[in-house]
Amino acid sequence: MPHIKLSDELPGISAAFAFRPETAKPMRELAHILLHEPNSLAPGERELVATYVSSLNDCYFCQTSHGAAAACHLGSTDTVKQVHADFEKAPISEKLKRLLVIAGQVQRGGKNVTSSAVADARNEGATDMEIHDTVLIAAAFCMYNRYVDGLATWQPREESMYAQMGEHLAHEGYKTPSIKPTNAE
Amino acid sequence: MPHIKLPEGLHGIRGAMAFRPETAKPLNELVEVLLHAPNSLTPGERELIATYVSSQNDCYFCQTVHGAIAAAHLDGNEELVRCVKMDFFNADISEKLKALLVIAGKVQKGGKHVTTADVEAARALGATDIEIHDTVLIAAAFCMYNRYVDGLDTWQPHDEELYRQRGKKTAKEGYVTMSKEYIPQQS
């Protein structure tokens, strides 16, 4: 049961957003810019960074919904599973692997990011903007994950629901709710 | 030296925000709602939560600037800010705020650390659902801001007077207004 009185028809962050629309607005906008707007990193790559960090933070709702969004962009759920299990062996670019190293360092704490990890990413072609966005996506998911789990939101184990959310996130982005209350007409 | 080429002469998060004004906008709007907008928790109390979490994350820039903003809200009481960072149980703050700081400390370690007992303790001392929500989100948000500031290895000069002066100004004007000082404005 959630720690505070949230809608019992909305899962995960959707319920927290409905509880406090004032903070939901900038949080939605931030995710929209980081994950959905045009960027030299593909949306699928950025969703992989988000789902990877969420898996390190052990947040079921975020890793599953962003994993579904990544799968929708990439047309493959296998790649998402491989990134969670061992991204070094996943069928993704060397550049993205080096960016995932940086994201993992940010997850442990900002000071863990090393100059050599940044140099490795740059050697594979990562730009300053891509390194910036990787750091901020990883940092932002250390917020979203804590928000979702810190309130003990309802996180149903229902793959079809996440697949549906992933479709919405991949196509529409983050400015509008990705799921409606279960009893909505 | 920062990990990427940030605009020179801007400290901490300011350099990162000036580098990427698109993300700076929601980042400033979020902190404005959480720490500066009217709330049943005073701005001083909310800044203490932000400062405490930033000290747990060992982020020099964030704990110093938010500590200065907290002190500005609390009649310049820098000693109280130090006490909260060192040992808030023995600080001269309300029992309700102590219970909220316990929750904030749990969020800093990870969302799943927050227990029903922690929340019930805060509620027994008068904390409302929205105050518990905002405490969780302030703590979570500073786990982001701190990682952003340190993850890019931003420039963080150790100059207490600089932070004291900026703290007074931010306490008065808020985050969105202050951001116009250092973020290129679109016409």
Side-chain angles (χ1 to χ4, degrees):
Chain A
M1 214 180 68
H3 289 315
I4 59 174
K5 179 93 188 99
L6 299 175
S7 157
D8 48 19
E9 289 153 6
L10 289 169
I13 205 162
S14 316
F17 281 171
F19 179 83
R20 188 81 152 102
E22 301 85 354
T23 46
K25 188 169 176 288
M27 292 177 81
R28 284 185 182 286
E29 281 178 14
L30 180 64
H32 193 79
I33 296 166
L34 288 173
L35 301 178
H36 196 76
E37 284 194 346
N39 194 298
S40 55
L41 293 172
E45 292 179 307
R46 288 175 278 155
E47 290 287 359
L48 284 176
V49 176
T51 190
Y52 173 66
V53 171
S54 301
S55 77
L56 294 179
N57 282 325
D58 192 28
C59 181
Y60 179 83
F61 179 83
C62 296
Q63 69 178 285
T64 311
S65 54
H66 291 281
C72 191
H73 284 300
L74 302 167
S76 155
T77 51
D78 286 350
T79 303
V80 177
K81 284 185 190 138
Q82 282 171 282
V83 165
H84 285 171
D86 179 3
F87 67 77
E88 292 288 358
K89 295 196 177 116
I92 55 174
S93 72
E94 275 309 308
K95 181 172 88 175
L96 183 55
K97 289 180 187 177
R98 302 288 71 84
L99 292 173
L100 286 168
V101 169
I102 295 173
Q105 291 175 337
V106 170
Q107 186 269 339
R108 289 193 287 284
K111 288 192 171 69
N112 289 276
V113 178
T114 60
S115 300
S116 66
V118 174
D120 289 346
R122 208 168 264 136
N123 283 339
E124 296 295 339
T127 63
D128 271 15
M129 185 62 84
E130 290 168 349
I131 294 165
H132 169 279
D133 282 11
T134 298
V135 169
L136 186 51
I137 291 168
F141 277 82
C142 288
M143 166 178 71
Y144 295 120
N145 299 163
R146 280 170 170 79
Y147 186 42
V148 165
D149 280 336
L151 292 173
T153 59
W154 176 51
Q155 304 178 35
R157 266 44 176 179
E158 194 185 315
E159 288 208 9
S160 62
M161 185 200 82
Y162 292 96
Q164 192 192 322
M165 285 176 61
E167 289 277 335
H168 178 95
L169 297 176
H171 293 118
E172 308 294 328
Y174 291 85
K175 287 192 176 171
T176 52
S178 58
I179 193 154
K180 296 192 169 56
T182 44
N183 69 348
E185 290 300 315
Chain B
M1 215 180 66
H3 288 313
I4 60 173
K5 179 112 187 74
L6 297 175
E8 286 185 20
L10 294 173
H11 313 142
I13 205 164
R14 293 181 160 212
M17 285 187 166
F19 178 84
R20 186 79 151 107
E22 299 85 356
T23 45
K25 183 176 171 287
L27 288 170
N28 272 308
E29 287 170 356
L30 179 61
V31 76
E32 177 87 14
V33 176
L34 287 173
L35 301 182
H36 195 77
N39 194 299
S40 56
L41 294 172
T42 66
E45 290 176 312
R46 288 175 279 154
E47 291 287 350
L48 284 175
I49 296 169
T51 303
Y52 173 67
V53 171
S54 301
S55 77
Q56 294 294 105
N57 281 325
D58 192 28
C59 181
Y60 177 83
F61 176 81
C62 295
Q63 70 177 285
T64 310
V65 76
H66 289 280
I69 300 165
H73 284 300
L74 300 163
D75 300 322
N77 193 344
E78 295 179 4
E79 186 52 31
L80 180 62
V81 177
R82 255 192 298 277
C83 284
V84 166
K85 287 201 280 186
M86 299 276 292
D87 176 12
F88 66 78
F89 282 109
N90 289 308
D92 184 19
I93 55 174
S94 72
E95 290 302 314
K96 181 173 91 175
L97 183 55
K98 289 179 190 177
L100 292 174
L101 285 166
V102 169
I103 294 173
K106 297 284 184 78
V107 171
Q108 185 268 337
K109 289 199 259 299
K112 290 190 171 70
H113 287 79
V114 178
T115 66
T116 306
D118 296 329
V119 175
E120 278 172 1
R123 204 170 269 134
L125 292 163
T128 63
D129 270 16
I130 201 138
E131 290 171 348
I132 293 163
H133 168 279
D134 283 11
T135 298
V136 169
L137 187 50
I138 291 168
F142 277 82
C143 288
M144 167 179 68
Y145 295 119
N146 298 164
R147 280 171 171 78
Y148 186 40
V149 165
D150 280 337
L152 292 173
D153 201 7
T154 59
W155 182 44
Q156 304 179 35
H158 287 226
D159 176 353
E160 287 204 16
E161 189 52 30
L162 175 102
Y163 295 98
R164 192 174 287 125
Q165 291 313 320
R166 190 169 298 157
K168 284 182 193 160
K169 207 166 169 203
T170 307
K172 204 160 78 188
E173 300 189 1
Y175 294 90
V176 170
T177 302
M178 283 292 276
S179 72
K180 292 177 183 143
E181 276 186 7
Y182 58 90
I183 296 176
Q185 297 299 301
Q186 283 153 352
S187 54

